[in-house]
Amino acid sequence: MSEQKIFEVTINETGVTYRCRSDESLLHGMERLGKRGIPSGCRGGGCGVCKVEVVCGDYVARTMSCDHVSDDDRCHHRLLACKVYPTSDVTVEVIGKMRKNVCR
Amino acid sequence: MAMSGVMRPGHACVRMLDLDEAVHFYRDVLGLQETGRDKQGRVYFKGWDERDHNSFVIRQADKAGLDFFGFRVLDVATLNKLDSDLRAFGVATERIPAGDMLETGERVRFESPSGHLYELYAEKTHVGNGMPLVNPGPWPDAAEHGIAPFRMDHALLYGPNVAKTKEIFTQVLGFRVVEYVEGPGGAGPAAFFMSCSHKAHDLAIVEYPEPGKLHHISFRLDSWEKVLRAADLMGRNKVPIDIGPTRHGVTRGTTIYAWDRSGNRFETFCGSYEPYPDWQPIKWTWEEFGHGLDYPTGKLHETFLSVVT
């Protein structure tokens, strides 16, 4: 079993920081500590709501929907935070937006 | 109530980002029964009390969401009649041969103005619910495996042109509107809850700019206590919950909404009521729709309105 590590995540826009385990996603780490900043959706890589750009740091990315993350996105570290696991301290910018329902 | 024409939701085919993870989730966490795998790699499931071979089918894909949603009709003559009725109404149909889906007869497929693929079929192999047809017990062991819904019950789908889509279901396929939600500012209905049976909804559709979106597939439990048990199992298995356990105002169901491992929302629910065909539809205004969605809190949950696959 690989050793679990803890890294610091910074959300650029707000300066919010939190400590995230290497075995939990950036989104899960944020939610577990009651922090805010990255919008939460399906938490399964399917809906695209939690899209971030990792502007600094290393990570492992798991499977996510090609509807929301293109090959170009991957090359530019634009990913869904629910499927990104930190392997160093990480800084992100939020680029996903909660898409408003047509009724609002 | 005599039931004819379209009888019930019969199958949903949903895309998964990681098939092995999805099979584990639907078989061991949700507690459906795996009934087969086909040459295309699709995996077939059913709820424990369903008697047909399959009702929920998944496949590996690079994006989440719904492939198609099918309804079982009374017999082959009904299937042929509804096919010609659809074409007479101006809806293009396609025939998919028997055997394309495991243990399933010929299917008539059409695309709705909301961008969803719907299907009708008349034949699917009876495999039973694990108990004999003579002197059965009340439930099999499978009724306690995982969350263990007894059937796939309905779908809620998001897309444009719901009023036109509703017309196909009510004017051609024999559905009726049981409840509906008025949009804001007199924009007309934004959501229809429609029944082809004795249920408050067999299909619900909500106006949304992007076509062909899946909001949720719903699985039915038989008590509020089992909805609470489902919540315990979701916590134990770290299944992300969207809303609940709570009660809807719309259709009165008691419910939990959660997401599978690929981000497709599903519902585990019980309750609701049994409308007759002569009952007048129930209207929800946009101002009070918060209670329609989550009756105790009246909260218009942002994720419920905008997170789809």
Side-chain angles (χ1 to χ4, degrees):
Chain A
M1 210 168 98
S2 63
E3 192 188 345
Q4 182 195 103
K5 295 176 179 168
I6 295 179
F7 299 108
E8 183 158 284
V9 180
T10 304
I11 301 174
N12 233 356
E13 291 86 340
T14 59
V16 166
T17 62
Y18 57 94
R19 291 166 69 74
C20 185
R21 299 196 311 243
S22 54
D23 66 347
E24 65 184 354
S25 72
L26 300 182
L27 189 72
H28 187 244
M30 181 190 79
E31 291 192 308
R32 191 171 53 78
L33 294 170
K35 300 277 185 168
R36 291 175 178 225
I38 305 172
S40 292
C42 74
R43 301 165 178 84
C47 80
V49 162
C50 66
K51 198 166 182 178
V52 296
E53 180 172 337
V54 180
V55 294
C56 181
D58 300 317
Y59 57 85
V60 172
R62 296 192 187 163
T63 314
M64 51 192 93
S65 168
C66 71
D67 263 357
H68 304 289
V69 178
S70 65
D71 291 342
D72 186 57
D73 280 336
R74 281 180 181 274
C75 292
H76 291 88
H77 314 290
R78 295 189 293 259
L79 303 157
L80 305 183
C82 67
K83 290 288 185 173
V84 174
Y85 296 73
T87 55
S88 77
D89 290 349
V90 159
T91 301
V92 301
E93 285 181 6
V94 175
I95 55 176
K97 287 191 174 60
M98 205 57 127
R99 192 171 281 124
K100 293 290 181 188
N101 185 274
V102 68
C103 299
R104 301 229 247 158
Chain B
M1 184 193 309
M3 212 181 288
S4 60
V6 178
M7 290 196 294
R8 60 173 176 269
H11 55 239
C13 184
V14 181
R15 298 185 291 264
M16 300 293 152
L17 299 174
D18 182 324
L19 191 67
D20 291 340
E21 197 177 47
V23 167
H24 173 258
F25 177 80
Y26 280 101
R27 187 185 58 206
D28 299 324
V29 179
L30 188 57
L32 301 179
Q33 294 175 301
E34 184 181 336
T35 57
R37 300 190 182 211
D38 70 17
K39 283 183 286 186
Q40 297 179 37
R42 294 182 295 197
V43 185
Y44 292 66
F45 297 92
K46 66 184 273 296
W48 66 263
D49 205 21
E50 293 181 289
R51 299 180 182 203
D52 290 353
H53 177 269
N54 61 75
S55 63
F56 188 73
V57 183
I58 61 175
R59 73 171 176 96
Q60 175 77 44
D62 57 9
K63 57 185 172 185
L66 179 74
D67 277 344
F68 54 83
F69 192 75
F71 296 91
R72 182 158 183 163
V73 307
L74 185 63
D75 53 24
V76 172
T78 303
L79 183 69
N80 292 333
K81 180 177 187 311
L82 292 174
D83 186 5
S84 65
D85 290 351
L86 281 166
R87 281 185 275 115
F89 200 74
V91 179
T93 63
E94 174 195 359
R95 292 264 180 167
I96 299 169
D100 172 80
M101 276 179 68
L102 288 184
E103 306 292 336
T104 304
E106 189 177 30
R107 289 133 65 201
V108 171
R109 176 181 281 186
F110 65 96
E111 183 174 351
S112 68
S114 57
H116 297 95
L117 293 179
Y118 289 105
E119 297 182 345
L120 308 174
Y121 66 93
E123 296 170 324
K124 190 173 285 193
T125 305
H126 169 96
V127 296
N129 61 5
M131 295 179 290
L133 292 173
V134 178
N135 305 328
W139 45 268
D141 289 346
E144 295 193 321
H145 176 69
I147 292 170
F150 63 84
R151 71 168 179 238
M152 192 278 288
D153 189 83
H154 64 267
L156 171 53
L157 305 180
Y158 272 36
N161 307 312
V162 287
K164 284 184 186 167
T165 301
K166 185 253 316 180
E167 283 183 11
I168 294 171
F169 279 91
T170 56
Q171 294 185 29
V172 184
L173 299 179
F175 285 61
R176 63 189 191 281
V177 174
V178 176
E179 303 198 15
Y180 65 100
V181 182
E182 284 284 3
F192 294 101
F193 296 78
M194 300 183 289
S195 178
C196 63
S197 66
H198 59 288
K199 290 153 59 186
H201 51 341
D202 289 296
L203 175 67
I205 52 176
V206 171
E207 186 75 28
Y208 190 74
E210 286 179 78
K213 290 295 176 183
L214 169 64
H215 187 276
H216 71 266
I217 302 293
S218 185
F219 298 92
R220 190 168 174 96
L221 299 164
D222 56 18
S223 72
W224 172 233
E225 191 175 19
K226 286 193 175 162
V227 175
L228 298 179
R229 177 178 172 276
D232 291 340
L233 290 172
M234 289 179 193
R236 182 186 298 171
N237 290 284
K238 301 200 180 308
V239 178
I241 290 178
D242 187 9
I243 304 174
T246 187
R247 182 203 284 274
H248 291 305
V250 178
T251 74
R252 296 188 209 155
T254 48
T255 181
I256 306 168
Y257 289 102
W259 286 286
D260 73 14
R261 304 303 191 204
S262 298
N264 297 297
R265 191 188 282 97
F266 67 97
E267 178 184 31
T268 52
F269 90 110
C270 81
S272 192
Y273 61 98
E274 298 181 1
Y276 286 101
D278 60 305
W279 289 13
Q280 294 177 33
I282 286 170
K283 174 169 91 173
W284 291 85
T285 63
W286 184 249
E287 290 69 29
E288 286 297 313
F289 179 61
H291 286 288
L293 173 55
D294 186 340
Y295 196 77
T297 69
K299 189 178 167 191
L300 268 183
H301 298 269
E302 181 87 38
T303 49
F304 188 90
L305 298 174
S306 52
V307 173
V308 291
T309 56

